[in-house]
Every structure is written in structure tokens, then in C-alpha cells.
Amino acid sequence: MGKLLVQDYVRLAKANPTIEKEFEYFKEAIFNKTLVWEGVSNPKTGGNLHNVAGDSGGWTLWGIAYNSNSGLFKNFDDFKDTTYEEAAAIAYTKYYRAINAFILPLEARLMYFDTAYNMGNMRAIKIMQGCAGVPQDGLIGPVTREKMQYVTEECLFNSRNTTYNNLVRANIKLSKFFKGWLNRSLAIYKIK
């Protein structure tokens, strides 16, 4: 399979009725709640293009960092024209499905997805694996899948915050993001 573009992600999110139903759930119960922390208060009014100094993602829209996703777009103008539906399809496919969030108990899925969307899939998977009591190798194999049903939101929340602390200890320049990261984590945790 060649390089995937935005329209390919939309097709993948609607590949069959079961996946499309899950995608609709994702948009309403997961993605909308994460977008508040990506500068989007109302998806109907559009995403906010922004670039925060010191953020390795560079330009961001709908929480999608251009630097790590530029290959999905024809050019920067194409990126700036990303719709909510396209952004949700990218987030659903590259994060939610890729980290197998749908296996976790319902109450833990938002925290797990938001961790991946904020920190990257590999870190989120390792955090989840620590909560599942399996080796933290970043790979979701049969042993991890079997234990994912026992992961709690509380464990994900606590482990995520420990990871933020460790990141700041390792690189003091990240301390400018620390309070915002903790606020985001706590707000996601309080959503019921």
C-alpha cells in the first residue's frame, strides 16, 4: 500500500458499517472532548491553526501536527483546509484504532486516546501496558490485548502524570508545558 492521504483516512474510518458506527461514537464521545485541549471549543465553527514556540509539532490544526503529518497533505494550504471530518478520521485511524483503544473498558478509552493524541502512540501504549501489568514494549500483541480489558482510567491518569513529571525532569525546557499538561490530564479524568 502506498502513502495514505487525508481522503484515504476518511475512507478507512467508514470502511464498513461496524467501523463507521465506531467512528461516529469516537467523534461524539472521544474526539470532541479532546479538541477542547487542542484549541477547539466548537467543532462546527472550525479548528484553530496555531504554532506554539517550543512545541515540536509545529503548526497544529484540530490537534494534528503538520510536522509529523505533512505527508498526508498536498501542501501547507491543503493542511490549513482540513475539515473536522477529515481530522476526526485521521485521529480515529492513526491514534484510536492504532492503539486499540476500543478494547479498553469504555470509561478508560478517552484517557488512553487523549494520552496518545498528546504524547504519541508509543508512550500511550507503554503507559497502558504498565497499567495492564505486561511488559512495556510498545507493541500490542495477544498478551497485551488480553489484559487491556482490566486497565482503569485511574491508572492511566496517574501513570500519564508520572510520565509528564519524568519528561520535565529530563528536559527542563518542557516545564513551560507542564501545568497545561496536568490541567489537560485532570480535565479529561473528570469527564464522566
Side-chain angles (χ1 to χ4, degrees):
M1 180 182 231
K3 178 176 110 171
L4 294 177
L5 298 173
V6 173
Q7 59 270 24
D8 298 315
Y9 282 95
V10 173
R11 274 195 295 280
L12 285 171
K14 297 179 178 187
N16 64 51
T18 302
I19 289 179
E20 186 168 9
K21 182 177 178 182
E22 184 182 70
F23 177 52
E24 292 303 318
Y25 162 81
F26 169 79
K27 287 191 298 186
E28 294 302 315
I30 307 284
F31 196 52
N32 283 344
K33 292 170 177 72
T34 291
L35 285 181
V36 171
W37 292 96
E38 298 294 348
V40 180
S41 57
N42 182 352
K44 292 178 181 159
T45 61
N48 296 326
L49 182 67
H50 59 280
N51 189 3
V52 177
D55 185 340
S56 62
W59 287 100
T60 303
L61 179 66
W62 302 106
I64 298 169
Y66 184 71
N67 286 352
S68 55
N69 292 289
S70 61
L72 301 179
F73 307 96
K74 295 174 191 147
N75 52 43
F76 189 70
D77 286 333
D78 186 34
F79 170 70
K80 291 190 314 188
D81 291 338
T82 302
T83 66
Y84 170 75
E85 187 77 4
E86 292 169 338
I90 292 167
Y92 173 74
T93 306
K94 282 189 76 173
Y95 296 89
Y96 189 81
R97 294 245 0 135
I99 63 172
N100 286 240
F102 53 89
I103 296 175
L104 264 63
L106 278 174
E107 65 276 2
R109 292 178 189 179
L110 172 60
M111 180 63 72
Y112 184 41
F113 165 76
D114 189 72
T115 301
Y117 211 56
N118 181 241
M119 304 171 94
N121 287 356
M122 184 65 74
R123 275 196 187 113
I125 291 169
K126 287 180 177 182
I127 287 169
M128 178 275 297
Q129 287 176 317
C131 292
V134 299
Q136 293 175 279
D137 61 7
L139 303 172
I140 301 177
V143 173
T144 297
R145 269 190 212 92
E146 182 183 315
K147 300 291 185 175
M148 286 175 75
Q149 63 185 317
Y150 304 110
V151 172
T152 67
E153 181 188 30
E154 182 176 8
C155 184
L156 292 171
F157 169 72
N158 291 328
S159 298
R160 176 179 178 165
N161 291 343
T162 298
T163 302
Y164 288 140
N165 278 297
N166 292 339
L167 287 171
V168 171
R169 278 192 202 104
N171 183 351
I172 196 67
K173 291 180 182 178
L174 295 175
S175 62
K176 76 182 226 173
F177 300 110
F178 186 64
K179 185 177 180 185
W181 288 339
L182 292 179
N183 288 341
R184 177 181 183 149
S185 181
L186 181 60
I188 294 295
Y189 183 64
K190 287 183 175 181
I191 294 172
K192 297 299 172 206

